[in-house]
Amino acid sequence: MQDVLLKATIEGGIRMYILSAQNVVEKARVLHNCSSLAISALGRTLMGGLLLAATMKNDEAITIKISGDGPLGDIVVDACGGNVRGYVDNTTIELPLTADGKPAVAEAVGPTNGNITVRRFNKDKQPFTGICNLACGEIAEDITRYLYVSEQTPSSVALGVCIDTDSTVKHAGGFLIQPMPEADENSLIILEENITNFAGINNSLTNGKTLEEIIQTIAGPLKVNLYETIPLQFICQCSHERILDMFSSLGKKELYELSQDANTEVVCHFCNKKYLLSTEELKNLADSL
Ligand code: ZN
């Protein structure tokens, strides 16, 4: 099944974005060689990035950074339209499941002293950066809290990654629901109740529900208007040129020093691709500054 994000409005002035991203999350798992716990945390953040990117124009980008004080380290995700990439510091982390049999994402993230930073790159505007404390380290709740505290937007966010017995990603999905300024009170009450009674995104996808069916379940008696479908992919735009460009910020002296060594190997954090910069390239770069 192709990964997609659907944009919908629900009667009464509510918008809902929902996605299914099994391939995106599985690709991230393979590229980074993630443990089940690491990909649960990274996968949720990748989907959170895609949902936040959906609140912007298709060519505008967003970066999310989750920094807790737990053993997982930082999670960083870039998203733009349907494209996303991301990494997590500790890819091999394993912790016992929580009491209710779920991956211990909150414990791995470490919410006590952590924060979530979101940077929105709007067209023709200065980037907007917001930061707030983590809610609990489960990612969805942290994004909800961020939207409320830093952007004054009440939202409901759900994110779930379901791992198969062979450690591959079986399902991954999530949604973001936000009342628009003109939202009516009755519709919000119906939605709130339906969200409370909702069986969960992992459950619904495991039971073979389509995204359209999940939206309708949450909307209940309210009319749904689907108006956009965005294909999703994990893709990193890194290239030899971009890596060299990054190196130019090191400055002349440091580049000359580096060019004394043998070839310099650089690994892209986001996709693990390796680049080899030759001594001659680095020397030329230093000369050009
Ligand atoms: Zn890359």
Side-chain angles (χ1 to χ4, degrees):
M1 199 171 80
Q2 158 83 55
D3 290 349
V4 288
L5 183 149
L6 301 185
K7 291 187 176 184
T9 51
I10 297 175
E11 183 186 352
I14 296 134
R15 62 178 177 180
M16 177 164 181
Y17 303 149
I18 187 166
L19 59 80
S20 166
Q22 184 253 336
N23 299 301
V24 163
V25 179
E26 173 63 11
K27 184 166 177 187
R29 185 191 71 82
V30 171
L31 281 177
H32 293 295
N33 202 10
C34 283
S35 68
S36 296
L37 179 53
I39 197 56
S40 296
L42 176 58
R44 290 181 195 179
T45 315
L46 287 166
M47 294 189 290
L50 286 164
L51 288 167
L52 290 189
T55 65
M56 305 167 75
K57 296 197 182 92
N58 280 343
D59 56 352
E60 293 180 338
I62 191 156
T63 296
I64 302 182
K65 184 174 178 190
I66 307 262
S67 297
D69 54 359
L72 190 67
D74 289 348
I75 313 171
V76 179
V77 163
D78 289 342
C80 178
N83 294 340
V84 69
R85 62 177 192 168
Y87 67 87
V88 54
D89 282 343
N90 184 346
T91 55
T92 57
I93 185 170
E94 305 276 6
L95 289 173
L97 296 177
T98 60
D100 52 356
K102 301 209 167 103
V105 171
E107 192 188 340
V109 168
T112 326
N113 234 331
N115 51 51
I116 170 170
T117 311
V118 175
R119 194 147 217 242
R120 289 182 185 268
F121 298 87
N122 299 295
K123 267 263 153 97
D124 311 321
K125 279 192 217 156
Q126 286 289 324
F128 169 84
T129 306
I131 183 165
C132 82
N133 294 334
L134 294 174
C136 62
E138 291 283 353
I139 315 295
E141 289 84 344
D142 304 313
I143 293 174
T144 306
R145 181 181 149 81
Y146 164 80
L147 287 169
Y148 189 70
V149 173
S150 293
E151 299 191 11
Q152 290 78 48
T153 315
S155 318
S156 173
V157 181
L159 299 166
V161 174
C162 179
I163 308 291
D164 216 337
T165 44
D166 64 358
S167 298
T168 60
V169 177
K170 192 174 176 188
H171 298 294
F175 62 72
L176 166 75
I177 300 173
Q178 290 180 334
M180 293 184 269
E182 72 279 11
D184 85 55
E185 201 58 38
N186 282 338
S187 303
L188 288 177
I189 291 169
I190 294 174
L191 268 194
E192 210 169 294
E193 201 178 310
N194 290 348
I195 292 169
T196 308
N197 295 328
F198 180 58
I201 189 86
N202 271 348
N203 253 329
S204 304
L205 292 171
T206 303
N207 291 331
K209 294 264 184 282
T210 64
L211 297 182
E212 290 86 344
E213 285 168 339
I214 297 171
I215 299 177
Q216 198 59 65
T217 303
I218 287 171
L222 303 170
K223 273 205 202 82
V224 171
N225 171 36
L226 286 172
Y227 66 93
E228 197 178 350
T229 303
I230 300 173
L232 307 175
Q233 60 174 343
F234 184 107
I235 186 170
C236 186
Q237 314 277 10
C238 67
S239 66
H240 198 94
E241 288 68 36
R242 285 187 187 205
I243 299 283
L244 261 186
D245 200 44
M246 255 168 48
F247 266 68
S248 62
S249 65
L250 283 178
K252 225 176 170 84
K253 187 165 163 274
E254 195 136 345
L255 282 170
Y256 274 127
E257 273 168 26
L258 262 181
S259 72
Q260 305 301 307
D261 299 335
N263 296 340
T264 302
E265 189 183 85
V266 188
V267 179
C268 173
H269 269 315
F270 286 95
C271 67
N272 267 342
K273 195 167 171 187
K274 290 190 174 73
Y275 292 93
L276 211 58
L277 305 182
S278 68
T279 56
E280 198 185 344
E281 253 177 328
L282 289 171
K283 197 175 159 296
N284 288 343
L285 184 62
D287 286 342
S288 73
L289 293 178

